[in-house]
Coordinates of all heavy atoms in Angstrom, one line a residue:
M21 N 147.9 82.8 187.1 CA 148.5 83.9 187.9 C 147.4 84.7 188.5 O 146.4 85.1 187.9 CB 149.3 84.8 187.0 CG 149.9 85.9 187.7 SD 151.2 86.8 186.7 CE 150.2 88.1 186.0
T22 N 147.4 84.9 189.8 CA 146.4 85.7 190.5 C 146.7 87.1 190.4 O 147.8 87.6 190.6 CB 146.4 85.3 192.0 OG1 146.2 83.9 192.1 CG2 145.3 86.0 192.8
K23 N 145.7 87.9 190.1 CA 145.9 89.3 190.0 C 145.7 90.0 191.4 O 145.1 89.4 192.3 CB 144.8 89.9 189.1 CG 144.9 89.4 187.7 CD 145.9 90.0 186.9 CE 145.9 89.5 185.4 NZ 146.7 90.2 184.5
D24 N 146.2 91.2 191.6 CA 146.1 91.9 192.8 C 144.7 92.5 193.0 O 144.2 93.0 192.1 CB 147.1 93.0 192.9 CG 148.5 92.4 193.0 OD1 148.8 91.5 193.8 OD2 149.4 93.0 192.3
L25 N 144.2 92.4 194.2 CA 142.9 92.9 194.5 C 142.9 94.4 194.5 O 143.8 95.0 195.1 CB 142.4 92.4 195.9 CG 141.1 93.0 196.4 CD1 139.9 92.5 195.5 CD2 140.8 92.6 197.8
T26 N 141.9 95.1 194.0 CA 141.7 96.5 194.0 C 140.3 96.8 194.7 O 139.3 96.1 194.3 CB 141.7 97.1 192.6 OG1 143.0 96.9 192.0 CG2 141.4 98.6 192.7
V27 N 140.3 97.6 195.7 CA 139.1 98.0 196.4 C 138.7 99.4 195.8 O 139.6 100.3 195.8 CB 139.3 98.1 197.9 CG1 138.0 98.6 198.6 CG2 139.6 96.7 198.5
I28 N 137.5 99.6 195.4 CA 137.0 100.9 195.0 C 135.9 101.3 196.0 O 134.9 100.5 196.2 CB 136.4 100.8 193.5 CG1 137.6 100.4 192.6 CG2 135.9 102.2 193.1 CD1 137.1 100.2 191.2
V29 N 136.1 102.4 196.6 CA 135.2 102.9 197.6 C 134.5 104.2 197.1 O 135.1 105.2 196.8 CB 135.9 103.3 198.9 CG1 135.0 103.8 200.0 CG2 136.8 102.1 199.4
G30 N 133.1 104.1 197.0 CA 132.3 105.2 196.6 C 131.9 106.0 197.9 O 131.3 105.4 198.8
V31 N 132.2 107.3 197.9 CA 131.9 108.1 199.1 C 130.9 109.2 198.6 O 131.1 109.8 197.6 CB 133.2 108.8 199.6 CG1 132.8 109.7 200.8 CG2 134.2 107.8 200.0
G32 N 129.9 109.3 199.4 CA 128.9 110.4 199.2 C 127.5 110.0 199.6 O 127.2 108.8 199.7
S33 N 126.6 111.0 199.7 CA 125.3 110.8 200.1 C 124.3 110.8 198.9 O 124.3 111.7 198.1 CB 124.8 111.9 201.0 OG 123.4 111.9 201.3
R34 N 123.6 109.7 198.8 CA 122.6 109.6 197.7 C 121.5 110.6 197.9 O 120.8 110.9 196.9 CB 122.0 108.2 197.7 CG 122.9 107.1 197.3 CD 122.3 105.7 197.4 NE 123.2 104.7 197.2 CZ 123.6 104.2 196.0 NH1 123.1 104.8 194.9 NH2 124.5 103.3 195.9
M35 N 121.3 111.2 199.1 CA 120.3 112.2 199.3 C 120.7 113.5 198.8 O 119.8 114.4 198.7 CB 120.0 112.2 200.8 CG 119.6 110.9 201.4 SD 118.1 110.2 200.7 CE 116.9 111.3 201.4
R36 N 121.9 113.7 198.5 CA 122.4 115.0 198.0 C 123.0 114.8 196.6 O 124.0 114.3 196.5 CB 123.5 115.6 198.9 CG 122.9 115.9 200.3 CD 124.0 116.3 201.3 NE 124.8 117.4 200.7 CZ 126.0 117.7 201.1 NH1 126.6 117.1 202.1 NH2 126.6 118.8 200.6
G37 N 122.2 115.2 195.6 CA 122.6 115.0 194.2 C 124.0 115.3 193.9 O 124.7 114.5 193.2
D38 N 124.5 116.4 194.3 CA 125.9 116.8 193.9 C 126.9 116.0 194.7 O 128.1 116.1 194.4 CB 126.0 118.3 194.2 CG 125.9 118.7 195.6 OD1 125.3 118.0 196.4 OD2 126.4 119.8 196.0
D39 N 126.5 115.3 195.7 CA 127.5 114.5 196.5 C 127.4 113.0 196.3 O 127.9 112.3 197.0 CB 127.2 114.9 198.0 CG 128.3 114.3 198.9 OD1 129.5 114.3 198.5 OD2 128.0 113.8 200.0
S40 N 126.6 112.6 195.3 CA 126.3 111.2 195.2 C 127.2 110.5 194.1 O 126.9 109.4 193.7 CB 124.8 111.0 194.8 OG 124.5 111.6 193.6
V41 N 128.2 111.2 193.6 CA 129.0 110.6 192.6 C 129.7 109.2 193.0 O 129.7 108.3 192.2 CB 130.1 111.6 192.0 CG1 131.2 111.8 193.0 CG2 130.6 111.1 190.7
G42 N 130.1 109.1 194.2 CA 130.8 107.9 194.7 C 129.8 106.7 194.6 O 130.2 105.7 193.9
P43 N 128.7 106.8 195.2 CA 127.7 105.7 195.1 C 127.3 105.4 193.7 O 127.1 104.3 193.3 CB 126.6 106.1 196.0 CG 127.2 107.0 197.0 CD 128.2 107.7 196.3
Y44 N 127.1 106.5 192.9 CA 126.7 106.3 191.5 C 127.7 105.5 190.7 O 127.4 104.6 190.0 CB 126.5 107.7 190.9 CG 126.2 107.7 189.4 CD1 124.9 107.3 189.0 CD2 127.2 108.0 188.5 CE1 124.6 107.3 187.6 CE2 126.9 108.0 187.1 CZ 125.6 107.7 186.7 OH 125.3 107.6 185.4
V45 N 129.0 105.8 190.9 CA 130.1 105.0 190.2 C 130.1 103.6 190.7 O 130.2 102.7 189.9 CB 131.5 105.7 190.4 CG1 132.6 104.8 190.0 CG2 131.5 107.0 189.7
I46 N 129.9 103.3 192.0 CA 129.8 101.9 192.5 C 128.6 101.2 191.8 O 128.8 100.1 191.4 CB 129.7 101.9 194.0 CG1 130.9 102.5 194.7 CG2 129.4 100.5 194.5 CD1 132.2 101.7 194.4
D47 N 127.5 101.9 191.7 CA 126.3 101.2 191.0 C 126.7 100.9 189.6 O 126.3 99.8 189.1 CB 125.1 102.2 191.0 CG 124.5 102.3 192.4 OD1 124.8 101.5 193.3 OD2 123.7 103.2 192.6
L48 N 127.3 101.8 188.9 CA 127.7 101.5 187.5 C 128.7 100.3 187.4 O 128.5 99.5 186.5 CB 128.4 102.8 186.8 CG 127.5 104.0 186.6 CD1 128.3 105.1 186.0 CD2 126.4 103.6 185.6
L49 N 129.6 100.3 188.3 CA 130.6 99.2 188.2 C 129.9 97.9 188.6 O 130.2 96.8 188.0 CB 131.7 99.5 189.2 CG 132.7 100.6 188.7 CD1 133.7 100.9 189.9 CD2 133.4 100.2 187.5
K50 N 129.0 97.9 189.6 CA 128.3 96.7 189.9 C 127.5 96.1 188.7 O 127.5 94.9 188.4 CB 127.3 96.9 191.1 CG 128.0 96.9 192.4 CD 127.0 97.1 193.5 CE 127.7 97.2 194.9 NZ 126.7 97.5 196.0
D51 N 126.8 97.0 188.0 CA 126.0 96.6 186.8 C 127.0 96.0 185.8 O 126.6 95.0 185.1 CB 125.3 97.8 186.2 CG 124.1 98.3 187.0 OD1 123.7 97.5 187.9 OD2 123.6 99.4 186.8
K52 N 128.1 96.6 185.6 CA 129.1 96.1 184.6 C 129.6 94.7 185.0 O 129.7 93.8 184.2 CB 130.2 97.1 184.5 CG 131.3 96.8 183.5 CD 130.9 97.3 182.1 CE 132.0 97.2 181.2 NZ 131.6 97.3 179.8
M53 N 129.9 94.6 186.3 CA 130.4 93.3 186.8 C 129.4 92.2 186.7 O 129.7 91.1 186.4 CB 130.9 93.5 188.2 CG 132.2 94.3 188.3 SD 132.8 94.6 190.0 CE 133.0 92.9 190.6
D54 N 128.1 92.5 187.0 CA 127.1 91.5 186.9 C 127.0 90.9 185.5 O 126.8 89.7 185.4 CB 125.7 92.1 187.3 CG 125.6 92.4 188.7 OD1 126.4 92.0 189.5 OD2 124.7 93.2 189.1
S55 N 127.2 91.7 184.5 CA 127.0 91.1 183.1 C 128.3 90.6 182.6 O 128.3 89.7 181.7 CB 126.4 92.2 182.2 OG 127.3 93.3 182.1
E56 N 129.5 91.1 183.0 CA 130.7 90.8 182.3 C 131.8 90.3 183.3 O 132.9 90.0 182.9 CB 131.2 91.9 181.5 CG 130.3 92.4 180.4 CD 130.8 93.6 179.7 OE1 132.0 93.8 179.7 OE2 130.0 94.2 179.0
G57 N 131.5 90.3 184.6 CA 132.6 89.9 185.5 C 133.6 91.0 185.7 O 133.4 92.1 185.3
C58 N 134.7 90.7 186.3 CA 135.8 91.7 186.6 C 136.5 92.0 185.3 O 136.9 91.1 184.5 CB 136.7 91.1 187.6 SG 136.0 90.9 189.2
P59 N 136.8 93.3 185.0 CA 137.5 93.6 183.8 C 138.9 93.0 183.7 O 139.6 93.0 184.7 CB 137.6 95.1 183.9 CG 136.6 95.6 184.9 CD 136.4 94.4 185.8
D60 N 139.2 92.3 182.6 CA 140.5 91.7 182.4 C 140.9 90.7 183.5 O 142.1 90.5 183.7 CB 141.6 92.8 182.2 CG 141.3 93.7 181.1 OD1 140.8 93.2 180.0 OD2 141.6 94.9 181.2
G61 N 139.9 90.1 184.2 CA 140.2 89.2 185.2 C 140.8 89.8 186.5 O 141.3 89.0 187.4
N62 N 140.8 91.1 186.6 CA 141.4 91.7 187.8 C 140.3 91.7 188.9 O 139.2 92.3 188.7 CB 141.8 93.1 187.5 CG 143.0 93.2 186.6 OD1 144.0 92.5 186.8 ND2 142.9 93.9 185.5
P63 N 140.6 91.2 190.1 CA 139.6 91.1 191.1 C 139.3 92.5 191.7 O 140.2 93.2 192.0 CB 140.1 90.2 192.2 CG 141.6 90.1 191.9 CD 141.8 90.5 190.5
L64 N 138.0 92.8 191.8 CA 137.6 94.1 192.4 C 136.7 93.9 193.6 O 135.9 92.9 193.6 CB 136.8 95.0 191.4 CG 137.5 95.4 190.2 CD1 136.5 96.2 189.3 CD2 138.7 96.4 190.5
S65 N 136.8 94.7 194.6 CA 135.9 94.8 195.7 C 135.3 96.1 195.7 O 136.0 97.1 195.7 CB 136.6 94.5 197.0 OG 135.7 94.6 198.1
L66 N 134.0 96.2 195.6 CA 133.3 97.5 195.5 C 132.6 97.8 196.9 O 131.9 96.9 197.4 CB 132.2 97.5 194.4 CG 132.8 97.1 193.0 CD1 131.6 97.0 192.0 CD2 133.8 98.1 192.6
I67 N 132.8 99.0 197.4 CA 132.2 99.4 198.7 C 131.4 100.7 198.5 O 132.0 101.7 198.0 CB 133.3 99.6 199.8 CG1 134.0 98.2 200.0 CG2 132.6 100.1 201.0 CD1 135.1 98.3 201.0
D68 N 130.2 100.7 198.8 CA 129.4 101.9 198.8 C 129.4 102.4 200.3 O 128.7 101.9 201.1 CB 127.9 101.7 198.4 CG 127.1 102.9 198.4 OD1 127.5 104.0 198.9 OD2 125.9 102.9 198.0
A69 N 130.3 103.4 200.6 CA 130.6 103.8 201.9 C 129.6 104.9 202.4 O 129.7 105.4 203.5 CB 132.0 104.3 202.1
D70 N 128.7 105.3 201.5 CA 127.8 106.4 201.8 C 128.6 107.6 202.3 O 129.6 107.9 201.7 CB 126.7 105.9 202.9 CG 125.5 106.8 202.9 OD1 124.8 106.9 201.9 OD2 125.3 107.5 204.0
A71 N 128.1 108.3 203.3 CA 128.9 109.5 203.8 C 129.8 109.2 205.0 O 130.3 110.1 205.6 CB 127.9 110.6 204.2
V72 N 130.0 107.9 205.2 CA 130.9 107.5 206.4 C 132.0 106.5 206.0 O 132.0 105.4 206.4 CB 130.0 106.9 207.5 CG1 129.2 108.0 208.2 CG2 129.1 105.8 207.0
P73 N 132.9 107.0 205.1 CA 134.0 106.0 204.7 C 134.8 105.5 205.9 O 135.4 104.4 205.8 CB 134.8 106.9 203.7 CG 134.5 108.3 204.1 CD 133.1 108.3 204.6
E74 N 134.9 106.3 207.0 CA 135.7 105.8 208.1 C 135.2 104.5 208.7 O 135.9 103.8 209.4 CB 135.8 106.9 209.2 CG 134.4 107.4 209.8 CD 133.7 108.4 209.0 OE1 134.0 108.7 207.8 OE2 132.7 109.0 209.6
N75 N 133.9 104.2 208.5 CA 133.4 103.0 209.0 C 133.9 101.7 208.2 O 133.6 100.6 208.6 CB 131.8 103.0 208.9 CG 131.2 103.9 210.0 OD1 131.9 104.4 210.8 ND2 129.9 104.2 209.8
F76 N 134.6 102.0 207.1 CA 135.0 100.9 206.2 C 136.5 100.7 206.2 O 137.1 99.9 205.4 CB 134.5 101.1 204.8 CG 133.0 101.0 204.8 CD1 132.2 102.2 205.0 CD2 132.3 99.9 204.5 CE1 130.9 102.2 204.9 CE2 131.0 99.8 204.5 CZ 130.2 100.9 204.7
T77 N 137.2 101.4 207.1 CA 138.7 101.3 207.1 C 139.2 99.9 207.5 O 140.1 99.4 206.9 CB 139.3 102.3 208.1 OG1 138.8 102.1 209.4 CG2 139.1 103.7 207.5
R78 N 138.5 99.2 208.4 CA 138.9 97.9 208.8 C 138.7 96.9 207.7 O 139.6 96.1 207.3 CB 138.2 97.4 210.1 CG 138.5 95.9 210.4 CD 137.8 95.4 211.6 NE 138.8 95.5 212.6 CZ 138.6 95.4 213.9 NH1 137.4 95.2 214.3 NH2 139.6 95.5 214.8
P79 N 137.5 96.8 207.0 CA 137.3 95.9 205.9 C 138.3 96.1 204.8 O 138.8 95.2 204.1 CB 135.9 96.1 205.5 CG 135.2 96.8 206.5 CD 136.2 97.5 207.4
I80 N 138.6 97.4 204.5 CA 139.6 97.7 203.5 C 141.0 97.2 203.9 O 141.6 96.5 203.1 CB 139.6 99.3 203.2 CG1 138.3 99.7 202.6 CG2 140.8 99.6 202.3 CD1 138.1 101.2 202.6
R81 N 141.4 97.5 205.1 CA 142.7 97.0 205.6 C 142.8 95.5 205.5 O 143.8 95.0 205.1 CB 142.9 97.6 207.0 CG 144.2 98.2 207.3 CD 144.4 98.7 208.7 NE 143.6 98.2 209.7 CZ 142.5 98.8 210.3 NH1 142.2 100.0 209.9 NH2 141.8 98.2 211.3
E82 N 141.8 94.8 206.0 CA 141.8 93.4 206.1 C 141.6 92.7 204.8 O 141.8 91.5 204.7 CB 140.7 92.9 207.1 CG 141.0 93.3 208.6 CD 140.0 93.0 209.6 OE1 138.9 92.5 209.1 OE2 140.2 93.1 210.8
S83 N 141.2 93.4 203.8 CA 141.0 92.8 202.5 C 142.3 92.4 201.8 O 142.4 91.5 200.9 CB 140.3 93.7 201.5 OG 141.2 94.8 201.1
G84 N 143.4 93.0 202.3 CA 144.7 92.7 201.7 C 144.9 93.4 200.3 O 145.8 93.0 199.6
A85 N 144.0 94.3 200.0 CA 144.1 94.9 198.7 C 145.4 95.7 198.5 O 145.9 96.3 199.4 CB 142.9 95.9 198.5
R86 N 145.9 95.6 197.2 CA 147.1 96.3 196.9 C 146.8 97.7 196.6 O 147.6 98.6 196.8 CB 147.8 95.6 195.7 CG 149.0 96.3 195.2 CD 149.6 95.5 194.0 NE 150.7 96.3 193.5 CZ 152.0 96.0 193.7 NH1 152.3 95.0 194.5 NH2 152.9 96.7 193.2
T87 N 145.6 98.0 196.1 CA 145.2 99.3 195.7 C 143.8 99.6 196.2 O 142.9 98.8 196.2 CB 145.2 99.5 194.1 OG1 146.4 99.1 193.6 CG2 144.8 100.9 193.7
C88 N 143.6 100.9 196.7 CA 142.3 101.3 197.2 C 142.1 102.7 196.5 O 142.9 103.6 196.6 CB 142.3 101.5 198.7 SG 140.7 102.2 199.3
I89 N 141.0 102.7 195.7 CA 140.6 104.0 195.0 C 139.3 104.5 195.7 O 138.3 103.8 195.8 CB 140.3 103.6 193.5 CG1 141.6 103.1 192.9 CG2 139.8 104.9 192.8 CD1 141.3 102.5 191.5
L90 N 139.4 105.8 196.1 CA 138.3 106.5 196.6 C 137.7 107.4 195.6 O 138.4 108.1 194.9 CB 138.7 107.4 197.8 CG 139.3 106.7 199.0 CD1 139.8 107.7 200.0 CD2 138.4 105.7 199.6
V91 N 136.3 107.2 195.4 CA 135.6 108.1 194.4 C 134.7 109.0 195.2 O 133.8 108.5 195.9 CB 134.8 107.2 193.4 CG1 134.1 108.1 192.5 CG2 135.7 106.2 192.7
D92 N 134.9 110.3 195.1 CA 134.2 111.3 195.9 C 134.1 112.6 195.2 O 134.9 112.8 194.3 CB 134.9 111.5 197.3 CG 134.1 112.2 198.3 OD1 132.9 112.5 198.1 OD2 134.6 112.4 199.4
A93 N 133.1 113.4 195.5 CA 133.0 114.7 194.9 C 133.6 115.7 195.8 O 133.6 115.6 197.0 CB 131.5 115.0 194.8
V94 N 134.2 116.7 195.2 CA 134.9 117.8 195.9 C 134.8 119.1 195.1 O 134.9 119.0 193.9 CB 136.3 117.4 196.3 CG1 137.2 117.2 195.1 CG2 136.9 118.4 197.3
D95 N 134.7 120.2 195.7 CA 134.7 121.4 195.0 C 136.2 121.9 194.8 O 136.9 122.3 195.7 CB 134.0 122.5 195.8 CG 133.9 123.8 195.1 OD1 134.4 123.9 193.9 OD2 133.3 124.8 195.6
I96 N 136.6 121.7 193.5 CA 138.0 122.1 193.2 C 138.1 123.3 192.3 O 139.1 123.6 191.7 CB 138.8 120.9 192.5 CG1 138.0 120.4 191.3 CG2 139.0 119.8 193.5 CD1 138.8 119.3 190.5
K97 N 137.0 124.0 192.3 CA 136.9 125.3 191.6 C 137.2 125.2 190.1 O 137.8 126.0 189.5 CB 137.9 126.3 192.2 CG 137.8 126.5 193.7 CD 136.4 127.1 194.1 CE 136.4 127.4 195.6 NZ 135.1 127.1 196.2
L98 N 136.7 124.1 189.5 CA 136.8 123.8 188.1 C 135.4 123.5 187.5 O 134.5 123.5 188.3 CB 137.8 122.7 187.8 CG 139.2 122.9 188.2 CD1 140.0 121.6 188.0 CD2 139.9 124.0 187.4
E99 N 135.3 123.4 186.2 CA 134.0 123.1 185.6 C 133.4 121.8 186.2 O 134.2 120.8 186.5 CB 134.2 122.9 184.1 CG 134.6 124.2 183.4 CD 133.4 125.2 183.5 OE1 132.3 124.8 183.3 OE2 133.8 126.4 183.7
P100 N 132.1 121.7 186.4 CA 131.5 120.5 186.9 C 131.8 119.3 186.0 O 131.9 119.4 184.7 CB 130.0 120.8 186.8 CG 129.9 122.3 186.9 CD 131.1 122.8 186.2
G101 N 132.1 118.2 186.6 CA 132.4 116.9 185.8 C 133.9 116.7 185.6 O 134.3 115.7 185.1
V102 N 134.8 117.7 185.9 CA 136.2 117.5 185.8 C 136.7 116.5 186.8 O 136.3 116.5 187.9 CB 136.9 118.9 186.0 CG1 138.4 118.7 186.0 CG2 136.6 119.8 184.9
L103 N 137.6 115.6 186.3 CA 138.2 114.6 187.2 C 139.6 115.0 187.5 O 140.3 115.5 186.6 CB 138.1 113.2 186.5 CG 136.8 112.7 186.1 CD1 136.9 111.4 185.3 CD2 135.9 112.5 187.3
R104 N 140.0 114.7 188.7 CA 141.4 114.9 189.1 C 141.9 113.8 190.0 O 141.2 113.3 190.8 CB 141.6 116.2 189.9 CG 141.5 117.5 189.1 CD 142.7 117.6 188.2 NE 142.7 118.8 187.4 CZ 142.3 118.9 186.2 NH1 141.9 117.8 185.5 NH2 142.3 120.1 185.5
R105 N 143.1 113.4 189.8 CA 143.8 112.4 190.7 C 144.5 113.3 191.7 O 145.4 114.1 191.3 CB 144.7 111.6 189.9 CG 145.4 110.6 190.7 CD 146.3 109.7 189.9 NE 147.0 108.7 190.8 CZ 148.2 108.3 190.6 NH1 148.9 108.7 189.5 NH2 148.7 107.5 191.4
I106 N 144.2 113.1 192.9 CA 144.8 113.9 194.0 C 146.0 113.2 194.6 O 145.9 112.1 195.1 CB 143.7 114.2 195.1 CG1 142.4 114.7 194.6 CG2 144.3 115.1 196.2 CD1 142.5 116.0 193.8
P107 N 147.2 113.8 194.5 CA 148.4 113.1 195.1 C 148.3 113.0 196.6 O 147.6 113.8 197.2 CB 149.5 114.1 194.7 CG 149.0 115.1 193.7 CD 147.5 115.0 193.9
L108 N 149.0 112.0 197.1 CA 149.0 111.8 198.6 C 149.5 113.0 199.4 O 149.0 113.3 200.4 CB 149.8 110.5 198.9 CG 149.2 109.2 198.5 CD1 150.2 108.1 198.8 CD2 147.9 108.9 199.2
D109 N 150.5 113.6 198.8 CA 151.0 114.8 199.6 C 150.2 116.0 199.4 O 150.3 117.0 200.1 CB 152.5 115.0 199.2 CG 152.6 115.3 197.7 OD1 151.7 115.0 196.9 OD2 153.6 115.9 197.3

C-alpha cells in the first residue's frame, strides 16, 4: 500500500537566528531521514524555502502531496519555543 506524500516546508532566514527555525527543522529531518529513511514508511518531501516560500508554490502543487506543513517562526506573544497549530481560518 502506498502512503500519501507529505511536504514539509521550512521557512526562515538562516542569517537571522530567531527566524531560522524552519530551515533548522528541515536540517534535523534530513539528518534523521539519512540514517533511518522515512518514518513509518510515509514518504516525505523536505523543502528549505529560506525566506521566499512563494518561490516553491509550483513544486508543492505539482508534487501531488496530500499534506503540506509549513514550519516558520512568528511572534505570538507567548514564551519562546511554544508551538501552535494555526487554523486555516
Side-chain angles (χ1 to χ4, degrees):
M21 179 169 94
T22 303
K23 302 279 184 170
D24 293 316
L25 175 66
T26 297
V27 175
I28 301 176
V29 181
V31 180
S33 171
R34 292 177 187 275
M35 303 300 285
R36 297 176 50 201
D38 63 337
D39 189 40
S40 63
V41 70
Y44 176 75
V45 168
I46 295 299
D47 290 346
L48 290 176
L49 290 170
K50 282 182 181 176
D51 288 346
K52 183 85 167 162
M53 287 177 62
D54 287 346
S55 65
E56 299 179 20
C58 295
D60 299 324
N62 295 307
L64 295 176
S65 177
L66 304 176
I67 298 174
D68 180 352
D70 198 64
V72 286
E74 61 273 14
N75 289 349
F76 296 89
T77 56
R78 174 178 263 169
I80 293 167
R81 229 179 21 254
E82 292 177 351
S83 74
R86 179 178 173 99
T87 304
C88 179
I89 299 170
L90 300 175
V91 180
D92 196 2
V94 64
D95 183 1
I96 55 175
K97 308 296 184 214
L98 296 172
E99 292 294 317
V102 170
L103 300 175
R104 285 289 181 261
R105 180 175 179 217
I106 308 300
L108 289 174
D109 59 342

